[in-house]
Amino acid sequence: MTARLWPEIGRYVLIFAALAITLVPTLWMVSMAFKPISEWTASGEALTWWPKEPTLDNFRFIFGTSSSELLVALEKTAWRPILASLLSATFGTIIAMLCGTAAAYAVSRFRVGGNLPLSLIQLRIFPPMAVLIPVMIMWTFLDLTDTWWGLALIYGIVTLPFSFWLMKTFFDEMPREIEEAALVEGCSRLRVFLKITFPMMLAPFASSALFVFILNWSDYLIALLLTTKDWVTIPVYMASLSSSMTGQLYGAKAALGLIAALPPVILGIAIQRYLVRGLTFGALKQ
């Protein structure tokens, strides 16, 4: 009995260790977001896990409504970066998923495209800087820099390989007999896709869209090079939160990080009924 018990104990120890590694930074960010400036600056006191005097002043500060004399006024509040991240990440995900799904269906069912799958992989093989410098020059010529739609377009292009390969894998695992039966009954290929294939692929589509959205939402390098002032995203804006008086504004950054974590979490909760099914699609295929 004892010999059988040790593997179970070791398994739970590993699980709790993994949870601690994952959750400790998150808990620290949540704690820091509610600490007043006196508790996260170098004041000689030891840092504490929980705020002694919880406050919402960090949230007020990034939205431009703080009354604290220790926090300098911001030139730009967090409203515009949040809007820029939402627009660029959302529309970039839509572009990537629509184009990737259409291309994946065509390659999976009709074997068209030739070297298209390998060509899409090349978008991720090259170092990002080697690709982004020509893109930055091109976007400047097209007057797409510092715009959310220019950022959304490049997000859609960059994450297209992920959406294509994820959806192609799911389409390959879906039995063709279902579509062939509908075609025999007189349905057009477009009607088969819209009425039969896509509803069956809704779970894989939702899980792939969440993955692509997270990639777009958390991007820093592309937004840093292609935005300058008006449409900077949350990661770029967060990097600029500093003060000559207090140095890095850790409380403000933690508050903004807490806000930035909400959209992926909300989206994941909204599609949780499809998420597990999408991630395990085809696992029980016989």
Side-chain angles (χ1 to χ4, degrees):
M1 184 66 181
T2 305
R4 296 180 180 179
L5 189 60
W6 282 112
E8 290 293 328
I9 295 176
R11 185 181 307 173
Y12 282 107
V13 168
L14 291 176
I15 291 175
F16 282 115
L19 286 175
I21 295 174
T22 304
L23 294 179
V24 165
T26 304
L27 293 176
W28 183 254
M29 180 182 67
V30 174
S31 173
M32 187 70 70
F34 294 97
K35 287 181 178 180
I37 186 172
S38 59
E39 295 187 29
W40 48 262
T41 53
S43 58
E45 298 181 4
L47 294 176
T48 57
W49 268 102
W50 305 110
K52 299 177 182 177
E53 299 178 1
T55 179
L56 295 176
D57 206 47
N58 293 316
F59 295 92
R60 299 191 188 101
F61 170 68
I62 61 176
F63 291 117
T65 60
S66 175
S67 59
S68 175
E69 297 179 356
L70 296 177
L71 293 175
V72 296
L74 286 173
E75 295 181 2
K76 183 195 296 279
T77 62
W79 290 111
R80 194 68 174 266
I82 292 174
L83 179 62
S85 291
L86 286 173
L87 290 174
S88 58
T90 300
F91 283 92
T93 302
I94 292 174
I95 293 172
M97 291 307 301
L98 290 180
C99 296
T101 301
Y105 184 75
V107 172
S108 176
R109 289 296 184 262
F110 308 111
R111 306 299 179 186
V112 299
N115 294 325
L116 175 63
L118 296 179
S119 299
L120 289 176
I121 289 182
Q122 292 178 1
L123 290 174
R124 308 300 305 183
I125 292 178
F126 291 103
M129 289 301 298
V131 178
L132 288 178
I133 296 302
V135 168
M136 183 174 62
I137 298 174
M138 185 186 307
W139 255 232
T140 302
F141 178 76
L142 296 174
D143 199 23
L144 291 176
T145 56
D146 205 19
T147 60
W148 69 264
W149 52 89
L151 203 56
L153 181 58
I154 192 63
Y155 280 166
I157 295 173
V158 170
T159 54
L160 178 60
F162 292 104
S163 63
F164 170 80
W165 278 101
L166 286 172
M167 294 305 297
K168 181 180 181 300
T169 302
F170 294 136
F171 281 127
D172 290 341
E173 293 176 349
M174 180 179 175
R176 297 169 180 257
E177 290 78 6
I178 301 176
E179 296 176 325
E180 293 173 354
L183 291 172
V184 170
E185 293 295 329
C187 289
S188 64
R189 176 63 69 174
L190 179 60
R191 187 176 179 85
V192 168
F193 178 79
L194 295 177
K195 297 295 184 179
I196 298 177
T197 306
F198 186 74
M200 294 181 62
M201 298 295 295
L202 194 57
F205 184 88
S207 58
S208 301
L210 178 61
F211 176 71
V212 171
F213 178 82
I214 292 175
L215 289 177
N216 293 332
W217 180 260
S218 60
D219 169 72
Y220 174 75
L221 181 60
I222 297 176
L224 179 65
L225 293 178
L226 298 183
T227 59
T228 55
K229 182 180 179 181
D230 294 332
W231 290 100
V232 297
T233 57
I234 291 177
V236 178
Y237 176 75
M238 187 182 298
S240 67
L241 290 177
S242 62
S243 170
S244 59
M245 297 174 56
T246 60
Q248 295 293 326
L249 302 177
Y250 296 112
K253 289 185 176 183
L256 185 57
L258 195 59
I259 295 174
L262 291 179
V265 172
I266 294 174
L267 185 59
I269 294 174
I271 66 172
Q272 63 177 341
R273 56 179 296 190
Y274 303 108
L275 195 57
V276 176
R277 182 184 171 192
L279 294 174
T280 59
F281 187 85
L284 300 178
K285 182 179 177 182
Q286 297 180 354

